[in-house]
Amino acid sequence: MKSRNRTEITIQILEFVNECSHDDEGITQTKLMSKLFLDNAELKDYLVFLIGNDLLSYDPKMRRFKITEKGLMFLQAYNQIDKMLKKQQI
């Protein structure tokens, strides 16, 4: 498996949570760990960062993560920049 940097892992988390947020249920930490191949400690660091920056929210009753409006805007902006860079092959 290719080594991923922090940005790639952050984007993958936002994408997975976004995919699971459409049904308004969100995603559990366990599902994120298994999809991303991260251990609990690594994932917690990312989740604390994303929640602290209002990119994700956490529902303690349901024990699920959801993407926020700010997280959606961040993901869209990242994807636009990524597309431009790939187009220019930078």
Side-chain angles (χ1 to χ4, degrees), residues 69-84:
E69 192 65 34
K70 184 177 176 182
L72 284 171
M73 290 176 13
F74 179 85
L75 192 55
Q76 290 169 348
Y78 175 84
N79 286 331
Q80 287 176 334
I81 292 168
D82 189 50
K83 188 186 298 183
M84 283 189 288

Side-chain angles (χ1 to χ4, degrees), residues 7-86:
T7 303
E8 290 170 325
I9 294 171
T10 300
I11 294 302
Q12 286 178 344
I13 292 170
L14 290 173
E15 288 174 339
F16 286 138
V17 173
N18 185 40
E19 288 171 13
C20 296
S21 292
H22 291 298
D23 57 11
D24 207 36
E25 285 190 24
I27 190 168
T28 63
Q29 187 168 335
T30 304
K31 282 187 182 179
L32 276 171
M33 284 189 319
S34 66
K35 283 188 175 226
L36 295 166
F37 302 104
L38 294 173
D39 66 37
N40 191 42
E42 288 175 311
L43 181 59
K44 276 190 177 183
D45 287 341
Y46 284 99
L47 294 174
V48 167
F49 168 77
L50 291 167
I51 291 169
N53 285 286
D54 195 32
L55 300 172
L56 288 182
S57 65
Y58 180 69
D59 181 346
K61 284 185 180 180
M62 299 290 291
R63 301 179 69 164
R64 293 178 183 269
F65 296 90
K66 296 180 184 179
I67 195 163
T68 63
E69 192 65 34
K70 184 177 176 182
L72 284 171
M73 290 176 13
F74 179 85
L75 192 55
Q76 290 169 348
Y78 175 84
N79 286 331
Q80 287 176 334
I81 292 168
D82 189 50
K83 188 186 298 183
M84 283 189 288
L85 291 174
K86 285 179 181 174

